[in-house]
Structure formats: C-alpha cells, structure tokens
C-alpha cells in the first residue's frame, strides 16, 4: 500500500525506447498490469526502420517510426544507433504523446542527458532520474553514497589516484 502522503502517478501512454526481448518483456508486464488493475495503459514502441516488422512493434498498442537505424554524430563524425539520437527521440516521444518512457537496459537507460531531456519535456522516466544517474554513474560518488548508507564496499583509496605514484601509495596502503 502507498502511504497517504505519497502521490501515485497513473500513466496513460508509455513509450518504449528499446527493442527486442526487453521491449517484449515490458509489453507483457503492462498487459498483465492492465488486466490486474483494469487499466488501459497504452504502450507505444519507438522503432527504427529495420525493426518495422519486429514482434515488439507488432505487439505494442501503437508504434512510432524513428527512421533510419543509425545517424552520424556531429560531435565526432562516428555512426551511432538512432536510439542514441536525442533529437530523433524527442520527436518520437512527442509524436507518441507519451507521459512516461521505459528504457529497459542499454541504449539510453543509463544516460543522464536522456533523463534530463525527458524531464524538460515533462515525460516521466520509469527508473532513476538524471541526478541519481549522475551520482551512481560516477564510481567514486557511488562508493561514497554506499558508505554513507552503511553499505559495505571493498577497501579503496577514498579518492582518485591521479598519478602512478598516488596509485602505488594507495595500493600499498590497502595491502
């Protein structure tokens, strides 16, 4: 049960920014949730051209075509999956009229920049917010948070070792 002071958000339209098995697992989970709770959450698969006829696209309630499967990143000229192109994803989320997004794992699931974009758009990420991703994505910050929470961590030097001498000193201190 939810404590009376905690607000429950009910989603109506959830976009999936993933593909294949992760997307199918989410689609099945939402279907089960809808049956159990007599709700009508709609799942919208965002897909790239090669996945047009993929099972997760066919099984979703709706689908939004993101276009080509890759794009050339302006920053470095490298070809990357379209699922990492925030301009394309922003357009897809708007077209899907999503009030929430599920990223599963991989692609943008651990990218705080994507979470920030969703926060700016008013689309709720089903998962950690951008601040949590940034804190836990930084190994040193994550270790410090774990220590503060009383979670055991393996011994470490308590700071980055910026030089070989510092790393050797930390290693010797740790045994």
């Amino acid at each position: 049960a939810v404590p009376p002071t905690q607000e429950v958000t009910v989603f109506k339209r959830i976009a999936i920014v993933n593909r294949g098995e992760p997307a199918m697992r989410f689609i099945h989970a939402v279907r089960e949730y809808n049956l159990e709770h007599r709700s009508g959450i709609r799942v919208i698969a965002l897909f790239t051209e090669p996945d047009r006829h993929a099972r997760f696209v066919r099984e979703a309630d709706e689908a939004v075509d993101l276009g080509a499967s890759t794009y050339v990143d302006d920053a470095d000229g490298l070809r990357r999956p379209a699922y990492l192109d925030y301009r394309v994803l922003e357009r897809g989320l708007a077209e899907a009229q999503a009030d929430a997004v599920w990223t599963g794992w991989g692609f943008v699931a651990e990218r705080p920049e994507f979470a920030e974009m969703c926060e700016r758009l008013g689309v709720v990420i089903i998962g950690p917010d951008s601040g949590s991703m940034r804190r836990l994505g930084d190994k040193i910050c994550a270790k410090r948070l774990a220590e503060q929470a009383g979670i055991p961590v393996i011994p470490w030097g308590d700071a980055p070792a910026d030089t070989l001498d510092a790393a050797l000193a930390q290693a010797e201190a740790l045994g």
Side-chain angles (χ1 to χ4, degrees), residues 43-47 56-58 60-65 95:
V43 176
I44 302 95
L46 304 187
F47 69 94
F56 78 97
V57 175
R58 295 189 322 264
D61 298 307
E62 299 174 36
V64 172
D65 187 348
E95 189 175 326

Side-chain angles (χ1 to χ4, degrees), residues 35-131:
L35 286 172
E36 278 183 35
H37 298 278
R38 298 175 191 234
S39 60
I41 298 170
R42 297 191 58 81
V43 176
I44 302 95
L46 304 187
F47 69 94
T48 60
E49 189 54 41
D51 288 325
R52 174 172 297 286
H53 301 291
R55 184 171 179 209
F56 78 97
V57 175
R58 295 189 322 264
E59 295 280 338
D61 298 307
E62 299 174 36
V64 172
D65 187 348
L66 298 176
S69 64
T70 63
Y71 75 104
V72 176
D73 190 332
D74 294 336
D76 57 17
L78 296 177
R79 187 159 293 282
R80 302 204 187 282
Y83 291 106
L84 298 177
D85 186 341
Y86 298 140
R87 292 171 295 197
V88 168
L89 293 175
E90 183 172 346
R91 177 190 54 79
L93 290 171
E95 189 175 326
Q97 299 175 350
D99 52 10
V101 63
W102 183 82
T103 60
W105 50 90
F107 293 124
V108 292
E110 297 175 5
R111 294 180 182 250
E113 302 83 10
F114 178 76
E116 288 166 349
M117 180 190 79
C118 290
E119 291 160 3
R120 178 177 51 78
L121 296 172
V123 176
V124 175
I125 290 201
I126 299 173
D129 62 24
S130 62

